């Protein structure tokens, strides 16, 4: 049954993967509170009810659905959006994948690198694996603002394991091989043998 007492903080904690125990389904009222909190503006009841119906009130789906809506809206009223266009697939991975389509190629490359390397990753390491390291700080700031990555001291990580899996799943076999090879080339002689072996086994031949 929907948890009418679920707080915004608990919902967001569950959505980011920080809570290992599911907090249960959100009520329609809680969905409205969470979405309004995330978007920082009043949210039409009609939109929240559609989102609640499509996601079943699952906190992680609600949060990703709200983020997808924010990107899809691009200035138009939320109640004018076709909720099916970004939440019809009914899975967290599908929602994340839909959001990835709206990112720039450079932003997607940063996320791809993070999905290949076990998070959290030193920012300096990420810089060695992207095409334009000079733009990395700006891209990381934008991705954090979009709720896709978060800082961990001097390191950076994708928001959750679900995000890592969703990003990695969007990569072709060739793209994965090339990224593993690129990461392998950045590892020093003192790198963990198991880490080197994992990337070597996934890298492209030769």
């Amino acid at each position: 049954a929907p948890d009418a007492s679920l707080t915004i903080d608990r919902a967001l904690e569950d959505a980011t993967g920080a809570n290992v125990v599911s907090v249960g389904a959100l009520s329609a009222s809680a969905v409205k509170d969470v979405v309004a909190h995330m978007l920082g503006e009043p949210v039409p009841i009609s939109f929240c009810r559609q989102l609640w119906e499509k996601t079943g009130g699952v906190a992680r789906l609600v949060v990703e659905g709200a983020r997808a809506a924010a990107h899809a809206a691009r200035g138009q009223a939320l109640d004018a959006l076709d909720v099916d266009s970004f939440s019809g697939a009914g899975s967290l991975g599908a929602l994340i994948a839909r959001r990835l389509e709206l990112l720039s190629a450079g932003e997607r490359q940063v996320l791809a690198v993070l999905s290949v390397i076990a998070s959290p990753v030193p920012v300096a390491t990420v810089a060695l694996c992207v095409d334009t390291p000079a733009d990395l700080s700006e891209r990381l700031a934008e991705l954090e603002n979009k709720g896709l990555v978060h800082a961990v001291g001097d390191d950076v990580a994708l928001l959750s394991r679900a995000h890592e899996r969703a990003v990695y799943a969007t990569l072709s076999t060739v793209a994965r091989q090339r990224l593993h090879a690129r990461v392998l080339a950045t590892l020093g002689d003192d790198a963990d043998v198991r880490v080197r072996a994992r990337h070597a086994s996934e890298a492209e031949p030769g």
Side-chain angles (χ1 to χ4, degrees):
D3 184 354
S5 66
L6 185 62
T7 65
I8 290 173
D9 287 342
R10 285 182 64 206
L12 295 179
E13 180 183 33
D14 182 63
T16 58
N19 189 359
V20 296
V21 180
S22 174
V23 295
L26 295 165
S27 66
S29 176
V31 167
K32 183 176 185 298
D33 290 341
V34 169
V35 175
H37 174 77
M38 290 183 60
L39 302 186
E41 61 180 274
V43 181
I45 294 176
S46 59
F47 170 80
C48 292
R49 181 160 290 280
Q50 285 186 70
L51 187 59
W52 175 65
E53 291 174 350
K54 288 294 180 183
T55 62
V58 177
R60 295 186 181 190
L61 293 178
V62 169
V63 170
E64 276 304 327
R67 288 175 175 145
H71 287 287
R74 295 185 176 182
Q76 64 178 303
L78 286 175
D79 55 359
L81 279 180
D82 176 10
V83 177
D84 285 336
S85 68
F86 59 84
S87 65
S91 74
L92 181 59
L95 281 170
I96 296 172
R98 175 69 183 88
R99 292 183 62 214
L100 297 179
E101 295 173 2
L102 303 176
L103 302 177
S104 69
E107 289 172 329
R108 288 197 300 271
Q109 185 185 45
V110 171
L111 296 181
V113 169
L114 293 176
S115 75
V116 166
I117 309 175
S119 295
V121 185
V123 173
T125 299
V126 180
L128 294 173
C129 299
V130 296
D131 294 334
T132 54
D135 299 329
L136 181 59
S137 294
E138 181 180 347
R139 283 177 177 154
L140 285 175
E142 187 62 27
L143 289 169
E144 185 166 18
N145 184 55
K146 292 175 179 177
L148 289 165
V149 305
H150 65 106
V152 184
D154 293 329
D155 298 348
V156 63
L158 280 156
L159 192 65
S160 71
R161 295 300 181 191
H163 287 75
E164 288 183 8
R165 291 191 294 269
V167 172
Y168 196 76
T170 66
L171 304 176
S172 67
T173 299
V174 172
R176 292 178 185 178
Q177 290 174 333
R178 289 175 177 170
L179 272 175
H180 279 289
R182 197 164 189 174
V183 171
L184 180 62
T186 69
L187 297 176
D189 295 335
D190 58 344
D192 188 297
V193 174
R194 290 169 297 182
V195 173
R196 294 182 63 88
R198 180 174 72 85
H199 289 299
S201 67
E202 297 290 346
E204 59 184 343

